[in-house]
Amino acid sequence: MRLRPRQQLASLSVEVGLRAAAAVAVPLLVLLAVGRLDLAAYATFGAFTALYGRNEPYRLRLRSVSVAAVALLASIALGVLVAVLGEPLWLAAALLVAVVVIGTFFATAFQLLPAQPLFFVFALLVCAAIPTPAAEAWGRIGLAAAVAAFSWLLTMSGWLLRRAAGDRAARTGAVLLKKLHRRPGVDTSVLRDRRVWLTAAQNGFGVLIAGGLALAFGLGHAYWAVVSLVAVIPPARAAHSISRSLHRILGTIGGVVVAALVLVWSPPALVVIAVIVVCQFFAEMLVGRHYGYALLFITPMALAVSHLASPAPLGTLVLDRVLETVLGASIGIGLVLLARWIERSRGLAG
């Protein structure tokens, strides 16, 4: 009996959600068992590999997941380098601009989903903010690489399962892969597209403004203002819609509130890991449908990871995150309005 399209889509969403959740659950539980949850950030960013390649044919998913893993590991390695050198501001700023600009072209050229360089930027900045002795640098990068490889295998494992299941898989819903999959290509025209350059410029200038103002105001870790800005800027070639940007702002702020409600009673590490896993599951289910809703889960997941890596007083953490979110999102809205004006005046819309 064939599943209806809505049932097929739900089946696919649950599948990719469970896959992403397992990618982060296994390494975090291993770190908990060996008493090294201080390394949770590296494992989680490596596990973000499983967020890519959703409902794509496996020959195309192979490319998407591989290039995403390379980009994530490069961002992690650069962040570790900055941390080893003592987090010099000039180097962090230069690498931040490079990652967000190159990541914009990279995600657009390979038609990745998520289509923004958000996770690349997040990995860079959090890893840069964790004090790292030089002797431990390669071990931390190696951990991220091992988890990325595990996530890669997990993401591609459906190919073997479907071949083994054969006709029975087709009868139980795997046939939906022939109807609902994405078919991303490789776009070699991105360097000639002024709309992509416009988005890269928005991100490049925006992260410097947001990060600089957050530092000037003395707001905790300035990286959250930067991450909030990147979340608000639409992907390259997407409509610069204020309503969509507002959805992303509300999703980010709502996620901060959810994180506060979860972490206010200082739960044990196992509960925090469970929160991360659940948020990863729902973030993957929603990220391809509505990014604002996905941020309701991406944000508490990010805060929970930060809490595991370096616990901080909840009141300070939440207040800083709300203020930094408002700051970064406000700058993002201003850049969206500016981009809309540039698109109309230069004939770039559409």
Side-chain angles (χ1 to χ4, degrees):
M1 179 179 179
R2 291 180 179 272
L3 296 178
R4 295 178 180 178
R6 184 173 297 180
Q7 293 174 312
Q8 293 174 344
L9 182 58
S11 174
L12 177 62
S13 296
V14 170
E15 177 189 342
V16 296
L18 289 173
R19 191 171 61 216
V24 72
V26 172
L28 287 183
L29 290 174
V30 171
L31 289 178
L32 175 64
V34 299
R36 290 305 307 267
L37 280 179
D38 57 305
L39 302 178
Y42 309 99
T44 303
F45 294 135
F48 280 175
T49 298
L51 294 175
Y52 295 86
R54 58 176 289 126
N55 66 322
E56 297 174 9
Y58 289 99
R59 59 185 177 82
L60 299 180
R61 185 181 302 185
L62 175 66
R63 180 182 64 217
S64 295
V65 179
S66 297
V67 298
V70 169
L72 285 167
L73 289 175
S75 302
I76 293 167
L78 291 174
V80 171
L81 171 64
V82 173
V84 168
L85 296 177
E87 201 178 356
L89 182 59
W90 67 270
L91 180 59
L95 290 178
L96 171 60
V97 172
V99 167
V100 76
V101 170
I102 295 173
T104 298
F105 283 100
F106 189 84
T108 307
F110 288 99
Q111 298 179 6
L112 297 179
L113 184 67
Q116 296 161 291
L118 175 65
F119 294 119
F120 309 148
V121 169
F122 189 46
L124 169 75
L125 294 181
V126 173
C127 292
I130 301 174
T132 303
E136 296 185 17
W138 283 112
R140 299 185 182 198
I141 296 171
L143 170 63
V147 176
F150 168 70
S151 301
W152 187 97
L153 290 171
L154 195 61
T155 305
M156 298 299 298
S157 63
W159 179 79
L160 289 175
L161 294 176
R162 280 166 172 73
R163 285 184 63 88
D167 293 338
R168 187 170 64 87
R171 291 195 301 272
T172 57
V175 67
L176 67 94
L177 292 176
K178 299 179 180 178
K179 298 180 179 180
L180 299 175
H181 56 45
R182 297 180 67 239
R183 289 189 174 273
V186 178
D187 187 350
T188 58
S189 68
V190 291
L191 293 177
R192 302 189 300 274
D193 192 328
R194 290 182 293 171
R195 294 170 297 172
V196 183
W197 280 102
L198 176 61
T199 301
Q202 282 179 280
N203 279 299
F205 286 112
V207 296
L208 291 178
I209 297 170
L213 288 177
L215 288 174
F217 293 148
L219 296 176
H221 287 105
Y223 68 76
W224 196 256
V226 171
V227 169
S228 299
L229 176 130
V230 177
V232 169
I233 301 296
R237 297 171 176 160
H240 284 79
S241 165
I242 298 300
S243 63
R244 292 181 183 178
S245 298
L246 289 175
H247 290 162
R248 294 175 182 195
I249 293 171
L250 293 175
T252 303
I253 294 176
V256 172
V257 173
V258 171
L261 293 174
V262 170
L263 300 176
V264 68
W265 53 287
S266 300
L270 190 59
V271 174
V272 178
I273 290 174
V275 170
I276 294 171
V277 172
V278 170
C279 287
Q280 180 96 329
F281 172 80
F282 284 104
E284 174 60 8
M285 287 188 67
L286 294 169
V287 74
R289 300 187 192 180
H290 196 296
Y291 204 71
Y293 291 152
L295 285 168
L296 283 170
F297 297 95
I298 292 173
T299 303
M301 176 175 64
L303 293 178
V305 171
S306 299
H307 179 77
L308 280 181
S310 53
L314 183 64
T316 302
L317 181 69
V318 172
L319 179 61
D320 282 350
R321 292 304 178 265
V322 170
L323 293 175
E324 290 162 358
T325 296
V326 172
L327 173 63
S330 299
I331 296 169
I333 286 288
L335 290 173
V336 168
L337 291 171
L338 177 61
R340 288 179 64 181
W341 177 80
I342 292 174
E343 285 182 338
R344 291 171 180 173
S345 62
R346 299 296 178 87
L348 300 179

